[in-house]
Amino acid sequence: MSDCLFCKIMAGDIPSAKVYEDDKVYAFRDINPQAPVHVLIVPRKHMANILECDAETAAALTDAIRVIAHQEGVAESGFRVLSNCGRDGAQSVNHLHIHLLGGTQLPEKMA
Ligand code: AMP
């Protein structure tokens, strides 16, 4: 999608701090990190949110989460993954992305 921020990042039109990539997924550091480790994991195929996610993409995202958690050194200590969806979920970029947060003790409460 030409007007999508994350599509532009994956096309290389906007710079990003790459953490991981494969043929289905691209991951980079959040520009406004909420934890010492804050990575956005994004399917290359444009889809608005988790409701549009197909099984193949879900598997690719899960595989990427596992690799990135080890790479970032949080697999043992633990981390959080979340995906904001729609207005009430406070989604600000309408291209599915998974936040991977860790590197510190995260708050119990999510909202
Ligand atoms: P959400 O609010 O769940 O849609 O998450 C969007 C995330 O994208 C936010 O955490 C932003 O900080 C992050 N973000 C926005 N623009 C950029 C960018 N150019 N590079 C990296 N992260 C970004």
Side-chain angles (χ1 to χ4, degrees), residues 29 33-39 68 72-74 100-104:
R29 298 201 187 281
Q34 304 298 306
V37 174
H38 189 171
V39 177
I68 293 164
E72 293 293 312
V74 297
L100 187 157
L101 298 139
T104 189

Side-chain angles (χ1 to χ4, degrees), residues 1 18-19 23-24 27 30 37 48-49 71 75 78 83 96 110:
M1 294 253 298
K18 182 176 82 174
V19 169
D23 60 330
K24 294 195 174 59
D30 196 293
V37 174
N49 57 47
Q71 194 176 298
S83 188
L96 172 61
M110 302 269 289

